[in-house]
Amino acid sequence: MKKIGVLTSGGDAPGMNAAVRAVVRSGLEKGAEVYAIYEGYQGMVDGGDKIKLMDWRSVGGILHLGGTVIGTARCKDFRERNGRLRAAHNLLSRGIDNLVIIGGDGSLTGAGKLCEEWESLVQELIESEQLPPDIADLHPELTVMGLVGSIDNDMAGTDISIGADTALHRITDAVDALSSTAASHQRSFVVEVMGRNCGYLALMSAIATGADWVLIPESPPNLDEWETKMCDVLRKGRQIGRRDSIVIISEGAQDRHGNPITSNYVQEVLETKLGEEARVTILGHVQRGGAPSAFDRNLSTLFGDAAVEAIMSNEVNGEALVIGIKGNKIIHTPLDVCLKKTHEIHNAIKNCDFETAMELRGSGFRESFQTIRTLVRALPHDPEPAQRSLRIAVMNADACAPGMNTVVRAAVRLGLDRGHEMLGIYNGLRGLMENDIKELDWMSVNGWAYIGGSELGTNRHIPVNSDFYTIARNIEEHRIDALLIVGGWSAYKAAILLNQQQRNFPSLGIPIVCFPASIDNNLPGSELSVGADTALNGIVEAVDRIKQSAVASRRVFVVEVMGGKCGYLALMGAMATGAERVYLNEEGVTLKDLVQDVNELVSGFQRGKRLGVVIRSEGANPTYSNDFIGALFAEEGGQYFSVRQASLGHLQQGGNPTPFDRILGTRMAQKSIEYLEQQCELKEPESASIGLLRGSFRFTSFRDLPRLMDDENGRPKDEWWLDLRPVAKTMARPAPLPVRRNHNLTTD
Ligand code: ADP
């Protein structure tokens, strides 16, 4: 039997518990023994009761908790060979030769060392007679899986690390709050965020909050100009009516000679050069704290499961790998490769070689920096004389999705910056028919980065008959050269129809971009749509509360979530909340399933379970409705638990967009404007949808779009996330009998 040790080390990060839970449950499911090593490497060096055998229930009730319940520490002993010798002894005396290490680059460096030295450590333990000679044959090598747990997102080998998304939530919440007080007093705020020498948190939070200036270590401002430039931008902003000024500064910010730029220095500059009262807020450890976001819970779950999967495959014995994510795919990269690249970036920054630092951070980072530099400008600069100025219209269509405003703001500002005239079409396709079209200037979208809903207004109208003529006439009248439609399923249908009608109405031949904005995440040509992450977090927060409300009362909740016949929200919501069961239209629901589920719940409650949650996608099955399932469960399980229903309804559509949705929206808006510009140069321009596919932004032509759409069910034919069902099922499996109670972290 394989024995796996799991530990969390270095700085704690929200999501670490979800990863530990996944390693334990996935390990048990696949037939391994899993040990939690408490207090990081210190527990490995000390041994004794710091290394505990885990069972299914040991990791119950921890998915939603911040920090790490198995503890973390900085351990000096482990830096020395002697400490690692003791650690190896403690592992070997329990037969553990597989490790899952959840931590930052320091922790993973330590793990790499242990892996490299393993053979010699084993030899030394045999020679000093601390372990019997046959141990060398039994455990010839150590296998290490590294999961990057760090809010800083400063390590190569993964697009994003465990904890970074949650940290962005904490930062955006704080900056949104500061913006309103800053606006009230017309004040400037300097907000310092974490990240050590990585500007990721600063850069992404600046995009997400619509900040007015950002300072990151990878791209310091020019020495002699930056203070004047920053003050100029902020001054101009004030002159055109901006009431709040927010400067985000990374804790590692520096000038081009490597001298630190502190938040107090920026404050001083604002007070002396701008003559404004400025306040400094250092966000500090709140960025690490609190419940993990939906994204971090699911990311950590997938990482933990993938680490165990790799170990159990026997194909990586003796290797040290980092488990990461690229796009939506889990990847494995040799640990030494990741550490080498990470150190190269650190060195480049230390040696003031900023070009290399930006290059190594990757194209997404560089593009995001370009985007923020444009967005912070108080007013667009003068267009290049040779550049053709276009009239680009933007509208929302279909149901409201959080993030729509963010997209419109970014598109309008980026378009204006490139010398175009930007038009807002109010009230969706109806507005286009009713000529509800206005020019949008830089300040007309001020503050839209972070507000939910749709300021332009939206509806689900799909044009028919004479509508096409009316629309074609209005497009002509307003001399619209290109159109960006931000919305859901009916927006896509309408756009394709308009495009097809160019045969009859030539003015409908303008290039169109369909931009995926829907909480349901049911659109073709993109693995994710703007709004889905916000809705998912809404579900997770609501279910966390529901669970808390009922923990003492032996209850089963049947929770209905939105999504039409697309089960994305239901499945991802179930995975992020630890729901026992999820009902999806894609899988269908049968009476046999329901009977089996209620029997499993009854047997769970008989064995001491106190709470159950099942999530039902609203379109799962019209007959087996929430009422039906609730009544069935109450009838069959009434002796053991009571049943309550919750329909989350429009709570999922409301709310301010999450940082993920704001960043995705802003970055795709930029790509959309660029695409429209390019198409306007062509004699026969194309129309397309934009989307996130395999980690990059791609366009799908209207020629291909219809065959990717499952019209009958209102969802794409390819639903990538269905592949995640086995992991979700494993995590939700009931605890097997007999239940071992000695190592419980919690009792539920
Ligand atoms: P993080 O993992 O968040 O980067 P640290 O750099 O503090 O945090 O590392 C956490 C722990 O990992 C250290 O306390 C130490 O026990 C171990 N560690 C870090 N660097 C090394 C190293 N070069 N060799 C051995 N162990 C190390």
Side-chain angles (χ1 to χ4, degrees):
M1 179 184 270
K2 290 229 181 205
K3 298 190 177 185
I4 303 173
V6 56
L7 65 82
T8 52
S9 168
D12 63 311
M16 282 181 160
N17 289 324
V20 171
R21 172 180 178 267
V23 171
V24 170
R25 293 201 167 167
S26 190
L28 293 175
E29 170 88 5
K30 294 177 174 77
E33 244 177 33
V34 187
Y35 293 80
I37 302 169
Y38 283 66
E39 318 305 338
Y41 288 121
Q42 198 60 53
M44 202 189 278
V45 172
D46 293 347
D49 65 357
K50 294 272 176 60
I51 305 182
K52 289 185 194 164
L53 183 63
M54 304 299 271
D55 66 27
W56 199 267
R57 293 203 168 193
S58 313
V59 287
I62 65 169
L63 179 61
H64 64 289
L65 300 177
T68 160
V69 295
I70 62 170
T72 179
R74 314 253 181 213
C75 171
K76 259 196 182 152
D77 294 341
F78 195 79
R79 290 181 182 270
E80 310 299 328
R81 184 179 158 91
N82 208 30
R84 295 194 289 276
L85 188 72
R86 280 160 61 198
H89 181 267
N90 286 325
L91 296 177
L92 283 164
S93 49
R94 289 164 180 80
I96 302 171
D97 56 10
N98 298 283
L99 288 176
V100 180
I101 308 290
I102 309 162
D105 63 333
S107 305
L108 300 189
T109 303
K113 276 202 174 146
L114 187 66
C115 192
E116 268 167 37
E117 291 172 350
W118 187 253
E119 206 181 321
S120 75
L121 294 172
V122 174
Q123 274 313 318
E124 193 174 332
L125 289 168
I126 293 171
E127 278 159 21
S128 58
E129 294 182 1
Q130 295 183 60
L131 288 172
D134 65 345
I135 207 90
D137 290 334
L138 286 172
H139 305 289
E141 47 203 7
L142 176 75
T143 307
V144 168
M145 295 292 137
L147 311 191
V148 187
S150 157
I151 64 162
D152 303 334
N153 199 27
D154 58 351
M155 177 131 179
T158 186
D159 283 354
I160 191 150
S161 56
I162 294 172
D165 182 66
T166 307
L168 282 175
H169 275 255
R170 299 292 104 82
I171 298 170
T172 44
D173 283 352
V175 176
D176 289 354
L178 285 173
S179 297
S180 57
T181 162
S184 313
H185 296 273
Q186 298 218 33
R187 237 179 221 152
S188 300
F189 271 88
V190 182
V191 184
E192 183 180 310
V193 303
M194 280 184 166
R196 295 192 285 187
N197 62 8
C198 177
Y200 178 86
L201 288 178
L203 177 55
M204 294 304 165
S205 60
I207 290 185
T209 56
D212 305 295
W213 197 260
V214 64
L215 290 155
I216 58 170
E218 291 87 347
S219 184
N222 282 336
L223 266 187
D224 41 346
E225 313 179 320
W226 76 270
E227 298 172 11
T228 319
K229 250 184 160 174
M230 173 179 75
C231 291
D232 275 355
V233 161
L234 299 185
R235 189 178 298 112
K236 271 193 207 156
R238 285 268 189 256
Q239 282 162 3
I240 59 171
R242 194 150 69 193
R243 293 186 58 88
D244 59 324
S245 296
I246 305 277
V247 177
I248 294 189
I249 172 168
S250 177
E251 64 180 348
Q254 54 179 352
D255 67 24
R256 292 214 154 248
H257 294 314
N259 304 311
I261 301 178
T262 65
S263 37
N264 285 336
Y265 183 71
V266 179
Q267 176 190 31
E268 212 180 290
V269 170
L270 294 178
E271 296 195 334
T272 50
K273 296 208 170 171
L274 194 61
E276 277 206 2
E277 201 184 355
R279 296 274 194 269
V280 172
T281 300
I282 298 173
L283 293 183
H285 282 76
V286 292
Q287 294 164 86
R288 276 192 196 292
S293 65
F295 180 90
D296 270 328
R297 295 180 196 195
N298 288 342
L299 181 78
S300 307
T301 301
L302 296 176
F303 278 2
D305 179 71
V308 172
E309 176 95 35
I311 289 170
M312 299 309 282
S313 75
N314 281 327
E315 282 166 16
V316 298
N317 289 351
E319 289 184 48
L321 299 176
V322 169
I323 305 284
I325 193 163
K326 181 130 193 60
N328 278 318
K329 287 267 172 289
I330 299 292
I331 54 166
H332 309 70
T333 316
L335 174 60
D336 52 354
V337 173
C338 300
L339 289 172
K340 185 167 168 268
K341 189 169 173 197
T342 307
H343 294 148
E344 270 170 26
I345 303 177
H346 290 190
N347 289 337
I349 294 172
K350 214 161 91 198
N351 300 330
C352 299
D353 178 1
F354 303 113
E355 219 160 281
T356 306
M358 283 302 262
E359 181 74 31
L360 290 171
R361 285 267 184 248
S363 56
F365 192 91
R366 209 191 2 232
E367 280 171 20
S368 301
F369 190 59
Q370 279 311 328
T371 305
I372 189 74
R373 282 173 71 151
T374 304
L375 287 173
V376 298
R377 218 170 277 139
L379 285 169
H381 51 207
D382 295 331
E384 302 288 324
Q387 197 174 318
R388 182 176 159 213
S389 172
L390 302 168
R391 286 169 67 81
I392 302 177
V394 188
M395 71 163 148
N396 296 154
D398 206 83
C400 200
M404 279 179 157
N405 292 325
T406 319
V407 179
V408 173
R409 167 188 179 269
V412 167
R413 289 204 169 169
L414 293 163
L416 290 171
D417 180 64
R418 297 165 84 93
H420 307 305
E421 287 169 75
M422 299 302 293
L423 304 166
I425 300 171
Y426 286 76
N427 199 21
L429 266 294
R430 283 207 180 282
L432 184 53
M433 284 157 54
E434 288 158 11
N435 236 341
D436 200 354
I437 303 171
K438 290 190 193 82
E439 212 164 292
L440 295 173
D441 63 16
W442 195 265
M443 285 307 287
S444 61
V445 290
N446 196 37
W448 287 22
Y450 50 83
I451 42 175
S454 161
E455 291 294 303
L456 285 181
T458 181
N459 66 57
R460 292 172 193 261
H461 182 69
I462 297 181
V464 287
N465 307 329
S466 64
D467 293 351
F468 294 106
Y469 165 75
T470 318
I471 290 173
R473 199 194 54 209
N474 289 344
I475 285 180
E476 235 170 284
E477 192 178 302
H478 287 272
R479 293 177 286 111
I480 295 172
D481 295 305
L483 179 60
L484 176 63
I485 307 186
V486 184
W489 193 264
S490 66
Y492 279 54
K493 298 296 292 177
I496 293 169
L497 286 175
L498 288 182
N499 185 257
Q500 285 166 351
Q501 285 290 331
Q502 65 181 288
R503 284 185 302 257
N504 304 324
F505 307 100
S507 68
L508 295 180
I510 56 169
I512 303 175
V513 165
C514 278
F515 188 110
S518 160
I519 65 161
D520 300 341
N521 198 29
N522 64 338
L523 295 163
S526 188
E527 286 156 2
L528 288 171
S529 55
V530 166
D533 184 65
T534 308
L536 198 54
N537 277 286
I539 292 169
V540 166
E541 277 162 32
V543 175
D544 278 357
R545 282 177 188 221
I546 286 170
K547 285 174 96 164
Q548 226 172 28
S549 78
V551 81
S553 47
R554 298 172 76 81
R555 195 166 276 175
V556 170
F557 274 93
V558 184
V559 181
E560 182 181 281
V561 302
M562 282 185 163
K565 287 186 180 172
C566 176
Y568 177 83
L569 286 179
L571 182 75
M572 299 306 259
M575 189 145 85
T577 55
E580 273 74 9
R581 184 67 162 98
V582 58
Y583 299 113
L584 310 175
N585 180 279
E586 286 86 347
E587 290 186 325
V589 190
T590 66
L591 189 58
K592 213 166 127 203
D593 294 335
L594 295 173
V595 170
Q596 189 183 335
D597 294 343
V598 74
N599 286 340
E600 263 175 19
L601 282 169
V602 166
S603 99
F605 278 80
Q606 280 171 337
R607 281 182 277 140
K609 190 178 180 58
R610 298 202 311 251
L611 172 70
V613 174
V614 300
I615 293 188
R616 181 182 165 279
S617 178
E618 65 181 350
N621 181 309
T623 309
Y624 302 134
S625 62
N626 254 37
D627 284 345
F628 183 99
I629 296 176
L632 178 76
F633 283 15
E635 183 64 26
E636 297 296 314
Q639 197 184 337
Y640 301 99
F641 51 79
S642 60
V643 178
R644 294 285 185 279
Q645 292 180 42
S647 179
L648 302 185
H650 283 78
L651 182 135
Q652 299 157 84
Q653 256 181 25
N656 291 341
T658 55
F660 186 96
D661 278 335
R662 300 185 201 182
I663 295 162
L664 181 67
T666 305
R667 295 192 55 203
M668 287 208 300
Q670 175 167 29
K671 295 278 169 197
S672 303
I673 295 293
E674 285 167 9
Y675 178 88
L676 289 173
E677 274 176 0
Q678 287 159 11
Q679 294 304 316
C680 285
E681 293 301 315
L682 304 178
K683 243 169 83 194
E684 287 181 23
E686 280 237 37
S687 291
S689 70
I690 184 169
L692 188 59
L693 288 172
R694 297 177 294 285
S696 3
F697 298 121
R698 291 167 205 261
F699 291 89
T700 306
S701 159
F702 275 17
R703 278 179 280 117
D704 300 322
L705 215 44
R707 65 178 169 76
L708 303 176
M709 298 168 87
D710 172 354
D711 261 326
E712 199 180 316
N713 293 307
R715 64 189 181 216
K717 285 187 184 150
D718 177 27
E719 295 181 295
W720 62 271
W721 45 268
L722 285 175
D723 293 346
L724 307 181
R725 282 175 300 168
V727 184
K729 278 199 179 119
T730 298
M731 295 304 135
R733 204 162 62 77
L737 283 168
V739 179
R740 271 199 294 251
R741 293 200 168 274
N742 45 341
H743 319 291
N744 280 4
L745 288 169
T746 64
T747 48
D748 62 311

